Amino acid sequence: MKLEDKKRVLREMVLARRFEERCYQAYMERKIGGFLHLYPGQEACCIGVMEAARPGYDYVITGYRDHIHAIKCGADPKEVMAELYGKETGSSKGRGGSMHIFDVKHRFMGGYALVGGPFPLAAGLGKGIQMKGGDEIAICFLGDAANNQGTFHETMNMVALYKLPVLFVCENNHYGIGTAIDRSTAVVDQYKRVCGYGIESAQCDGQDVEVVYEHARRAVDYVRSRKGPYFLELITYRYRGHSMSDSRSYRSREEEEMWKKRDPIFILRDRLIEAGALTQEEFHKLEKEIDDYIENEVVRFAEESPEPDVRDLEKYVLADRETQLPWLTGKVA
Amino acid sequence: MAEMMYWEAIRRAHDEEMARDPMVICLGEDIGVAGGTYKATKGLYEKYGPLRVIDTPISENGFTGLAIGASFIGVRPIVEIMSVNFAWLAMDQIFNTAAKVRYMSGGQLAAPIVIRSPGGTAHQLGAQHSARMEKVFMGVAGIRVVTPSNPRQAYGLLKSAVRCDDPVFINEHELMYNMKGEVPDQEYFHPLEGSEIARSGTDVTLFGYNISVHWCLKAAEILDKQYGISAEVVDLYALSPLDREGIRRSVAKTHRAVIAEEDEGPVGVGAEIMAIINEECFFDLDAPPVRVHSANVPQPYNHKLEQAAIPDHEDVVNAVLKLFGKS
Ligand SMILES: Cc1ncc(C[n+]2csc(CCOP(=O)(O)OP(=O)(O)O)c2C)c(N)n1
């Protein structure tokens, strides 16, 4: 990674962290409802992988922990926050919420709340790419626990069989809600689970964004050059609970502290400071700048945006009637 | 107008739509090299190749999801699910994704897929191969449900469904693939909404769809010849959305209604139509509407039990006679 890229990535990771922490606050103020799954601790995963891919060009799909993935693809943080607030200006017009962020113009194909649900959809994106003949790839980010769903196995078989251009990124944060991975999964190393399907795979540190980037580059190249699908496992940790109702009683303070010593933001920050490319003051200034942006632009936009009109309750259930009339009436000119 | 079989009509629709649009693909178990369990895709693999006519692994949820994902970016997949019983395995992708994605994305993404699948009781296939699922599909917002009762509809509904931007479930029937009927020689699109009057009458309306239309037609003939009762038969080829206006119009004309379905009664298609009649035609009625449906059992294997479980035209006749106080 070039120096200027590292600085930009640091900035993006700080934005990701602060955005999520601000969501936490808004949730406590009851501005955000429903389930809210936050990303602090895992920033290097999505951001490192997408550095190696082409955000806004490659198709990305993921689960419910999706705000940062959307933003990294190009979604406006203002619209993502407005979505969390349930506003009409939200990225899904207030119909989706935290678990269903969509930004199709940036090829962020959505967050989905059913664990394992996106696997086959990613295969389908790969199929669409295959038929259209471009050089895009599809990238599917999911957690480790999702790999125990049947869809994981059905999908791995199909993508290998049809040689679909899909990169699977497993963000292994060691827990599926409150169940530790070694209590739910027979083989803890996730990258080994695709060997039976003949899929190339690797495992790496998910806390060091440069390590993620290097591994992702190889994986992305492999998929983009149409050698087949690829499965990349990133070893990471989420600092907060699974969702807002989670007290984290299932894991120890020591474990959490240990992981916080390997914070993805601090790893990169310290490396830049050591290299003389950044000072402690500059970093604080960056944090302050981002906080101001989130407060004055992002949150403010969400707060001030209108709610959806209740008269539009049934909008978006089916396609627009007018354009569909020929098929609905059978009267085709 | 040429006669063709139900499966031939479906095959023709596939072929025409695939020839027109290179983004139309079909996928399912055994549909390619083997030509399809019901021959609905016969010869297409040879014509369009393995990239567009895809033999899938036995992974209903997986390949349905694959079709949905592909439909997000411009592919128009026709999914064949070998038997509707296996569609239960794909419920997550059908209902949680296809039916909801337009809504939860605020209109940004849609899943214009077609799912075709046969349901119904055939010849002693037992409980896990005899289910009907139309009532489940029609109970969920965001997906259209149609169900052809003859080759013309089978052809025209698939043509319209492929071009429609909504997910469409086409409920076929195990026993109908070899049924013959006239299909227009020129291209024909059957509407995805509405209903058809299959036979006009004045004394009672018999509502049917798919195979039960045929019981109703046969019953209407018997009622006419033996009892002098003039029955109107309404073919509800669209189950979602249902043609409320068509239902209302016919009941307002005949003042009596019988609803015939092969599915188990509770929470069924008939129950929904009863509710509509109650809401829309209460003061038009001369008698309470009657439902004809299967016994509330998983389909038994034994032939006698199986036949006892499902209704037929005689049950429709008896229901009408009951309405007229003649039984
Ligand atoms: C099909 C399904 N079953 C259960 C749930 C409830 N649930 C939500 S998240 C979750 C754990 C998933 O963990 P993982 O895949 O590792 O992702 P992470 O939350 O760690 O990012 C569960 C069980 C669900 N949303 N969907």
Side-chain angles (χ1 to χ4, degrees), chain A residues 31-327:
Chain A
K31 296 285 174 62
I32 297 176
F35 286 130
L36 180 67
H37 309 86
L38 301 175
Y39 204 55
Q42 301 185 205
E43 294 89 349
C45 297
C46 157
I47 291 174
V49 169
M50 290 312 293
E51 265 310 290
R54 289 152 79 176
Y57 181 76
D58 292 323
Y59 294 98
V60 172
I61 193 162
T62 188
Y64 42 79
R65 206 180 295 284
D66 56 356
H67 315 160
I68 302 308
H69 300 76
I71 291 172
K72 179 65 187 174
C73 286
D76 186 336
K78 294 202 283 290
E79 291 178 15
V80 176
M81 188 61 86
E83 185 59 33
L84 304 182
Y85 273 64
K87 298 298 180 74
E88 179 70 23
T89 54
S91 47
S92 304
K93 302 208 161 57
R95 271 69 166 185
S98 165
M99 301 193 287
H100 306 300
I101 306 290
F102 287 79
D103 193 328
V104 174
K105 66 181 175 302
H106 292 106
R107 298 198 169 175
F108 180 68
M109 308 306 278
Y112 298 81
L114 277 288
V115 173
F119 283 129
L121 301 174
L125 294 171
K127 176 68 193 170
I129 294 167
Q130 185 185 59
M131 290 197 60
K132 291 178 165 189
D135 73 339
E136 295 100 327
I137 66 171
I139 305 176
C140 178
F141 289 91
L142 280 183
D144 45 288
N147 299 345
N148 291 327
Q149 279 287 11
T151 49
F152 171 80
H153 300 277
E154 296 189 19
T155 301
M156 293 310 148
N157 181 49
M158 291 191 297
V159 292
L161 180 70
Y162 303 137
K163 299 202 170 34
L164 299 176
V166 188
L167 168 60
F168 296 93
V169 180
C170 173
E171 300 189 35
N172 182 352
N173 64 13
H174 304 85
Y175 290 91
I177 309 189
T179 302
I181 186 166
D182 59 358
R183 297 185 59 245
S184 68
T185 307
V187 175
V188 168
D189 283 326
Q190 299 302 298
Y191 76 104
K192 291 182 182 166
R193 301 181 77 183
V194 297
C195 297
Y197 299 101
I199 293 175
E200 284 292 316
S201 66
Q203 181 188 57
C204 75
D205 179 7
Q207 301 307 93
D208 185 332
V209 74
E210 292 190 70
V211 172
V212 172
Y213 169 75
E214 287 306 327
H215 278 80
R217 227 174 35 143
R218 276 195 289 279
V220 165
D221 287 350
Y222 182 90
V223 178
R224 206 182 299 287
S225 62
R226 299 298 184 255
K227 292 198 182 84
Y230 196 99
F231 185 93
L232 180 61
E233 177 185 9
L234 308 174
I235 304 298
T236 186
Y237 201 77
R238 64 166 152 75
Y239 296 156
R240 291 210 168 271
H242 167 73
S243 67
M244 297 299 285
S245 53
D246 174 2
S247 63
R248 287 141 52 208
S249 58
Y250 48 84
R251 61 189 201 188
S252 68
R253 172 85 17 119
E254 295 77 52
E255 179 184 298
E256 295 192 351
E257 288 311 315
M258 185 188 82
W259 277 95
K260 282 189 181 166
K261 290 199 187 108
R262 302 217 62 247
D263 185 290
I265 293 175
F266 296 165
I267 288 176
L268 183 60
R269 178 199 64 186
D270 294 348
R271 200 174 285 153
L272 288 174
I273 289 176
E274 235 167 77
L278 182 81
T279 65
Q280 199 57 258
E281 294 71 54
E282 281 170 339
F283 182 73
H284 285 315
K285 212 173 121 224
L286 171 69
E287 285 185 312
K288 173 86 176 55
E289 231 176 78
I290 285 172
D291 283 345
D292 288 347
Y293 162 69
I294 290 175
E295 211 51 49
N296 301 332
E297 297 195 40
V298 175
V299 173
R300 191 155 157 205
F301 177 78
E303 297 264 358
E304 291 176 356
S305 287
E307 307 225 30
D309 190 329
V310 176
R311 282 170 302 189
D312 288 335
L313 177 65
E314 293 179 16
K315 207 171 161 181
Y316 309 125
V317 175
L318 294 171
D320 172 54
R321 254 199 97 73
E322 287 305 306
T323 65
Q324 301 303 306
L325 268 182
W327 328 120

Side-chain angles (χ1 to χ4, degrees), chain B residues 14-33:
Chain B
H14 272 100
D15 195 3
E16 286 177 9
E17 291 306 297
M18 293 187 79
R20 172 188 63 90
D21 178 356
M23 282 294 140
V24 176
I25 63 172
C26 55
L27 65 161
E29 292 153 21
D30 272 9
I31 68 147
V33 173

